[in-house]
Amino acid sequence: APRGPQLLMPMTGPAPAAAFFGTEPDSFDFAWPGHAVFGAGCAQQLPAWVAAQGVRRPLVLTDAGLVQAGVVAPLAHALGACGIAPALFDGVAANPTLDNVAQARACWDSQRCDGLVAIGGGSVIDVGKVLVASLCSDAPIDEMLREGDRVLSRRAPPFAALPTTAGTGSESTTAALVKDGQGRKHVLRSRRSRPQWVALDPQLTLSVPRSVTASTGFDTVMHALGAATNRATNPVGEALALQALALSVQALPAVLAEPASLKARSDMLLA
């Protein structure tokens, strides 16, 4: 019988003085991401979290494809049923730009929003991170992207993320990638602009087309491999990278063979 995902183990032999992937022992800086819930249907907890933060007018940040696919409406309706009045911005591009951030910020300001809910893949969540950073700083955008947390002087608004793809894991990382008007890519690195609450609900990934499932799933595998072989790591990162690699190399073929498999979708999202 086939076995479930197994934790990959380092090769046998004498243990090196440093950690397995070259980290100096007892020398690393680790900050755990915010509150996350996992499991089929956990997205239904969104209204309770938003209400608990005192948010009355959240900006729902997403893309037009997810709105068309019917992914966003049930979540927006659930917020409305709790007396929360969301505003919608669905203009995030597949390769997000600083224009997307500016447009989302204009929507935030005009609608007088007081919280952010990002529903989408890494592009949507990355725009959300840069938007939050812009709300926390008066620095010019280029300085903010370059300096990150050093120029964020205000407290971040409540920020929830509901990923709809199993890909880069933007919902838990400190990085956000956006392009400028000339097509140059810029990376914001900020712990303070990460989502404070994440719902990892595999049901939200069921509508993802097979081609997108494949490409984002390959992102998962390669990010896990990169983290597992990165010498600038820490013991917790090593363990998570190995388990993510073990999960994804088995779950990706499974989900491509059976896209409706909630088990395979769950394993990819966890990875």
Side-chain angles (χ1 to χ4, degrees):
R3 301 170 65 192
Q6 302 296 308
L7 180 63
L8 301 178
M9 300 300 293
M11 55 187 171
T12 58
F20 179 56
F21 292 125
T23 301
E24 292 298 323
D26 302 320
S27 180
F28 60 87
D29 184 349
F30 185 83
W32 197 258
H35 182 192
V37 295
F38 180 89
C42 69
Q44 296 171 14
Q45 300 177 38
L46 173 66
W49 184 84
V50 171
Q53 310 312 304
V55 173
R56 307 305 301 168
R57 183 67 163 161
L59 177 64
V60 172
L61 184 71
T62 187
D63 63 58
L66 288 169
V67 172
Q68 255 186 347
V71 174
V72 176
L75 295 166
H77 292 157
L79 290 169
C82 293
I84 299 164
L88 176 67
F89 177 78
D90 64 356
V92 178
N95 293 298
T97 66
L98 289 174
D99 280 346
N100 293 158
V101 177
Q103 293 156 3
R105 175 63 187 267
C107 186
W108 172 283
D109 291 339
S110 66
Q111 297 295 319
R112 298 185 178 182
C113 295
D114 56 357
L116 180 63
V117 176
I119 304 171
S123 298
V124 170
I125 296 170
D126 281 359
V127 169
K129 291 178 183 177
V130 181
L131 171 60
V132 166
S134 76
L135 293 166
C136 296
S137 177
D138 295 320
I141 188 71
D142 58 339
E143 181 183 355
M144 187 193 74
L145 291 169
R146 185 176 63 252
E147 299 295 331
D149 284 342
R150 287 189 288 271
V151 295
L152 306 191
S153 57
R154 290 187 291 274
R155 184 177 180 179
F159 179 16
L162 294 86
T164 59
T165 61
T168 61
S170 177
E171 65 276 0
S172 61
T173 69
T174 58
L177 180 67
V178 289
K179 295 192 304 182
D180 62 24
Q182 287 71 48
R184 292 188 296 262
K185 294 181 178 179
H186 301 266
V187 178
L188 168 73
R189 296 194 180 278
S190 167
R191 290 176 176 171
R192 293 180 57 192
S193 64
R194 281 190 295 192
Q196 298 134 27
W197 187 83
V198 176
L200 296 162
D201 188 338
Q203 290 181 343
L204 295 181
T205 70
L206 289 172
S207 64
V208 177
R210 191 174 186 275
S211 61
V212 177
T213 297
S215 61
T216 58
F218 191 68
D219 274 342
T220 300
V221 174
M222 295 311 296
H223 276 64
L225 182 61
T229 55
N230 188 345
R231 295 177 65 86
T233 185
N234 60 69
V236 178
E238 290 179 10
L240 293 176
L242 290 170
Q243 187 64 10
L245 191 57
L247 278 169
S248 59
V249 296
Q250 295 190 50
L252 181 56
V255 78
L256 293 176
E258 191 179 349
S261 169
L262 204 58
K263 173 66 167 62
R265 294 279 184 182
S266 295
D267 283 349
M268 284 303 300
L269 199 56
L270 182 58

